[in-house]
Amino acid sequence: MSVAIVDNAVQPAKRRTLADVRNQVAQELAIKAITKAHIVDGARVGVYFTFSKKEDDQFLRLVATHIEYRLPTDYLFALATTGSPPDTTVTANSLVICGSSDDFVQRAILLASSKFLGRVESVVNEGTVWIAAVRNIGSSSYDEAALWDVVCKSVRAPIDPLCPPPGSRSIDQILSDARSKLQRVTPQQAYEELHDPTFPMPVFLVDIRPAAQREREGGIHGSLIIERNVLEWRFDPRCEARLAIADRYDLKIIVYCQEGYTSSLAAAALHELGLLNATDIIGGYAAWKAAGLPGQIKPPSTAADSESYVPSEISES
């Protein structure tokens, strides 16, 4: 009787190529991007950054292909490389926007083009895939936030123009939220704090009204005149355009406008910078005037040594 001899030798594993490795990495990144995604109006949206590699646009296109394979539903993703490209002749990183429909992608193109104005060097538009070379993308927190804004807005369903969009707030809600952060003061309280030599921190009275309103309504001599459009830049201790006095975070900044509405929003904005003692005057300059308080206050003690002190040129009318 003959016996069949079976060769049980282990066959060597097939050697993986560079293309196989790139494909696996692209697949893993696609899964990570999908995992991080949000749902907006029934569509899955996401933003994902990865470090620059060789042939970035082709690699991101491969990631987009894996996303398409795994998502049968509506989707829109922005994929980008960041960091210095290995090829020193390349001056920009790659950005790929891919989606389940031309409509999503074309909306995203319009938004992205405006947000990265002057930084886009070249584009390829393939309908559901848009590939762009963008200088220094990912170099600041702005870029990721901008791309999230792009993908979220681009998939939103058309809304009734007479109905508030989801997530929006009325000005009354915005004002209420702002005031919830503040310990607002009456004109009398503000006057007393400004003239209290034992007050534990420097106190400044800031007039944020526009020049025309100050000229028409009058003002308080000794207050700092810093109009609303530059307020944050003047008081942020981290900003190069700050005032000389704005070198600490415990300042008591008392903001006033004409009637105490805009000033609440302005004071809340200062809180966002870390100036948690900022507040405003209830009723604004109109309330100060109605209370019969003096039209002049003692200038800040640091005013003589600082360019930040701007005496009011407007006399009380």
Side-chain angles (χ1 to χ4, degrees), residues 90-124:
V90 177
T91 59
N93 295 102
S94 295
L95 168 64
V96 168
I97 295 178
C98 58
S100 56
S101 73
D102 288 1
D103 190 34
F104 284 171
V105 174
Q106 298 312 307
R107 288 187 213 165
I109 290 172
L110 291 174
L111 287 173
S113 298
S114 64
K115 289 181 182 292
F116 299 106
L117 194 64
R119 294 170 59 188
V120 179
E121 293 188 353
S122 63
V123 298
V124 176

Side-chain angles (χ1 to χ4, degrees), residues 1 10 13 117 132 140 155 188-189 203 229 236 268 287:
M1 181 176 69
V10 177
L117 194 64
S140 73
V155 300
Q188 183 65 43
Q189 288 172 321
V203 185
N229 61 322
D236 184 357

